[in-house]
Amino acid sequence: MDNLTPQDLFSPSKARQQRAQAADWAHIDSWLSYKYAGRTVPTFERNEETMKVLRELSLANERADEERMIMEKVEREALKELKADEASRNQEDVKIVEATKAHLTPEGSESLRALASTAVALDTTSANSETLAYALIAHTSTSQTLSTSITHIQTLQRYLEKQHTLLRVQLKELQSNPAFSAPPSLQRQTTEQARQTKHVRAKIREYEDRLLSLEHHQAKGAATPASKGVSSAEAIADMLEQQTSLNALRQRVEGLEREVDEFAGLPADREVARKEVGKLEINLDNVRRRRDALFEGLVS
């Protein structure tokens, strides 16, 4: 902490950092003194990088020491168990085994070691040939089942990855292709067509009233003298012209109603309507694919 400045004395964070560094250097010095066992520790530059390297080295060394101590403890325990097992053995059985090993041929010794290794590998409690055969069959069956399951899982994983990639491509196409987005003027066009439809319906009612009025005057004119035949003919011509205009207006109204009905199920909001159109186009695409698949199945 000799490198503290007067400004650091009034900064709690810097003072805390300096204390932590001093504690790390104290730990490193203690570890180096222990490793050199009374010998002089070589001098080195005390900076952040050196402290980081020495701290990591000391931690790795401590972990290695702990692992070595654990291994030594396990070896001591195993040695105790082996000694206890040897002490509990029947000496007569030991003599028989030693005599058998001494009189075995090299091929026999090799076969005995193979038999023992097989029993250990199969984790069986007996070296009987039937027991080993059953254990080997069970292990083989389990291994084959696991291999088949792994193959099936790998195939399923590849299929899911392929479908995932395809869905991402379709999603990107839906988000980027202008064909799947509703036109910006959709709401305005719908409002305008609804307004025109309302106006045309009002005109139709007006012309129907005028037509009824003309028919009424025509009926009255039929009861007048024949001198009014000219005016009646003009009225009939006017009526026919208005009837033609009325039919044209009716056809126009029906056309506008059909156009408006195409957007009847869409929401008023433009973005929501655009999403709804996109969903309908996706459904149409799925139906087309199913139709193509059925057609291919029929052809094949």
Side-chain angles (χ1 to χ4, degrees), residues 15 77 136 226 239 266 275 286:
E77 294 294 334
L136 183 60
M239 182 182 66
L266 295 178
K275 293 181 180 179
N286 293 332

Side-chain angles (χ1 to χ4, degrees), residues 157-171:
Q157 182 181 5
R158 288 194 295 268
Y159 173 76
L160 292 176
E161 290 175 352
K162 182 178 178 181
Q163 292 297 321
H164 182 261
T165 303
L166 180 61
L167 289 175
R168 283 191 173 276
V169 172
Q170 292 179 352
L171 178 61

Side-chain angles (χ1 to χ4, degrees), residues 62-243:
E62 290 176 358
R63 287 195 297 268
D65 291 340
E66 291 177 358
E67 292 176 358
R68 187 182 69 255
M69 292 174 62
I70 293 173
M71 289 296 297
E72 291 177 355
K73 183 178 179 181
V74 171
E75 290 176 355
R76 287 195 298 270
E77 294 294 334
L79 183 59
K80 288 180 181 179
E81 291 180 1
L82 289 175
K83 290 182 178 179
D85 184 57
E86 290 179 358
S88 63
R89 289 180 183 177
N90 190 344
Q91 296 299 323
E92 294 297 330
D93 293 340
V94 173
K95 291 179 180 180
I96 292 173
V97 172
E98 295 297 334
T100 302
K101 289 182 179 180
H103 290 83
L104 283 175
T105 60
E107 292 80 4
S109 298
E110 184 66 26
S111 299
L112 182 61
R113 283 193 295 271
L115 183 63
S117 301
T118 304
V120 172
L122 295 176
D123 194 19
T124 58
T125 58
S126 174
N128 184 275
S129 58
E130 293 183 358
T131 303
L132 294 177
Y134 285 132
L136 183 60
I137 292 172
H139 279 279
T140 303
S141 177
T142 304
S143 176
Q144 185 64 30
T145 303
L146 292 176
S147 300
T148 304
S149 300
I150 291 173
T151 303
H152 177 70
I153 292 173
Q154 290 175 348
T155 303
L156 181 60
Q157 182 181 5
R158 288 194 295 268
Y159 173 76
L160 292 176
E161 290 175 352
K162 182 178 178 181
Q163 292 297 321
H164 182 261
T165 303
L166 180 61
L167 289 175
R168 283 191 173 276
V169 172
Q170 292 179 352
L171 178 61
K172 185 177 180 181
E173 178 69 16
L174 291 174
Q175 292 175 346
S176 60
N177 193 344
F180 296 105
S181 59
S185 59
L186 176 63
Q187 185 176 2
R188 182 178 56 80
Q189 290 177 358
T190 304
T191 305
E192 180 66 20
Q193 289 177 354
R195 187 186 63 79
Q196 291 179 2
T197 302
K198 184 177 180 180
H199 176 70
V200 172
R201 284 177 178 174
K203 286 291 185 182
I204 289 175
R205 287 193 295 268
E206 180 183 352
Y207 287 140
E208 286 177 348
D209 294 338
R210 293 176 63 180
L211 179 60
L212 290 175
S213 177
L214 288 174
E215 289 177 352
H216 178 68
H217 287 297
Q218 181 66 25
K220 290 176 65 177
T224 58
S227 59
K228 296 184 179 179
V230 177
S231 60
S232 299
E234 293 177 353
I236 291 173
D238 188 16
M239 182 182 66
L240 291 176
E241 183 180 356
Q242 291 182 1
Q243 182 68 30

Side-chain angles (χ1 to χ4, degrees), residues 21-37 39 41-44 46 50-51 54-55 58:
Q21 291 179 357
D24 290 339
W25 279 117
H27 175 74
I28 291 171
D29 292 337
S30 176
W31 174 70
L32 290 174
S33 299
Y34 172 75
K35 286 300 177 183
Y36 277 89
R39 293 176 295 172
V41 178
T43 58
F44 53 88
R46 293 177 177 265
T50 305
M51 182 181 69
L54 290 176
R55 185 171 60 243
S58 65

Side-chain angles (χ1 to χ4, degrees), residues 267-284:
D269 186 73
R270 183 179 65 185
E271 295 298 329
V272 179
R274 182 179 299 175
K275 293 181 180 179
E276 189 68 24
V277 171
K279 292 180 181 179
L280 293 175
E281 290 177 347
I282 292 174
N283 293 334
L284 177 61

